């Protein structure tokens, strides 16, 4: 099932982070998520967070991905993440080890 990317980052993820605030802070990082054709979001799951808001700003890990590839990443973060990264479809700058924590980030309900 296709995920509505804008709804995910503007409504669902902020709500899930609020419900899981203390656990989310244990990720301990700030992400910049750039989904080509959909938008840019700052995700703060550091001690000052958690929050997810539209925009662009300083981050420990920045991910840039096309919308159709994000669908694959969201559905199967572990397998698709590595495949997309090595195929050059998922660009990661900053601390690449933080990208491995995205699965936890997207698992919050």
């Amino acid at each position: 099932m296709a995920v509505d990317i804008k709804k995910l980052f503007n409504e669902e993820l902020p709500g899930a982070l609020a419900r899981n605030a203390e656990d989310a802070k244990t990720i301990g990082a700030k992400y910049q998520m750039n989904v080509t054709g959909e938008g840019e979001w700052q995700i703060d799951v550091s001690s000052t967070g958690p929050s997810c808001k539209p925009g662009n700003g300083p981050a420990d890990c920045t991910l840039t991905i096309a919308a159709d590839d994000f669908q694959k990443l969201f559905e199967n973060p572990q397998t698709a993440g590595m495949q997309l990264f090595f195929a050059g479809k998922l660009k990661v700058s900053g601390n690449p080890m933080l990208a491995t924590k995205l699965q936890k980030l997207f698992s919050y309900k």
Side-chain angles (χ1 to χ4, degrees):
M1 187 176 115
V3 64
D4 181 331
I5 295 171
K6 288 180 179 162
K7 184 177 181 187
L8 171 71
F9 287 109
N10 292 329
E11 298 173 28
E12 295 170 5
L13 187 58
L17 290 175
R19 288 186 294 277
N20 299 278
E22 290 308 310
D23 191 55
K25 289 180 186 180
T26 65
I27 296 173
K30 292 182 180 180
Y31 293 91
Q32 176 66 43
M33 181 67 72
N34 303 324
V35 182
T36 307
E38 293 289 329
E40 300 177 334
W41 292 271
Q42 291 177 286
I43 304 167
D44 182 352
V45 281
S46 69
S47 59
T48 61
S51 68
C52 177
K53 58 188 178 207
N56 197 323
D60 302 305
C61 181
T62 299
L63 296 102
T64 304
I65 189 169
D68 56 338
D69 291 323
F70 180 81
Q71 297 287 341
K72 297 172 195 163
L73 179 67
F74 186 79
E75 290 167 13
N76 189 351
Q78 208 159 14
T79 304
M82 292 304 262
Q83 291 172 343
L84 292 166
F85 179 77
F86 287 115
K89 294 181 176 183
L90 170 62
K91 303 218 180 338
V92 179
S93 59
N95 183 342
M97 291 308 295
L98 292 173
T100 63
K101 296 184 178 186
L102 284 176
Q103 186 171 4
K104 180 176 182 180
L105 182 69
F106 290 124
S107 71
Y108 294 126
K109 301 290 179 218

